[in-house]
Amino acid sequence: TLNINACREANDEGVNLLLGKIRLRHLNVGGCIRLTRLQVDFRNAKAGCTLDAYGCRHLGHIEIRGSAALDKLVTAGCGGAEGVRVVKL
């Protein structure tokens, strides 16, 4: 589990670098207003994974590897008027 909820200084480079080094089942980046792109890997999990990106207003793209394990995805308040593009691999 990684919870960096409301970390206003978190940016794409730092978060995605960290996510590339750890195995996750639960990720909360809600309120991380500087995020624009996110890459999450749930390939090592069997099921029950969650991703909460609520309120990441500039987040426009999420790439999810191992999306079959994803049970809950929250993207309300992301991507402005266009919303967020989610690519499940």
Side-chain angles (χ1 to χ4, degrees):
T1 298
L2 178 62
N3 184 347
I4 54 174
N5 184 23
C7 183
R8 298 186 182 280
E9 297 302 316
N11 61 33
D12 294 349
E13 183 179 1
V15 171
N16 288 316
L17 180 64
L18 176 63
L19 293 177
K21 307 262 184 216
I22 60 176
R23 294 182 183 178
L24 288 176
R25 287 199 56 189
H26 308 286
L27 175 62
N28 183 341
V29 293
C32 294
I33 58 174
R34 294 182 64 193
L35 290 180
T36 62
R37 298 181 65 83
L38 190 61
Q39 296 172 322
V40 184
D41 189 347
F42 292 127
R43 287 181 292 186
N44 294 314
K46 296 196 186 313
C49 295
T50 62
L51 171 55
D52 185 347
Y54 182 86
C56 296
R57 62 181 171 232
H58 299 294
L59 183 59
H61 182 88
I62 301 174
E63 181 180 301
I64 303 171
R65 296 191 179 274
S67 61
L70 186 65
D71 283 349
K72 181 180 176 186
L73 173 63
V74 179
T75 60
C78 294
E82 296 177 12
V84 64
R85 179 174 180 243
V86 178
V87 177
K88 295 180 178 179
L89 306 171

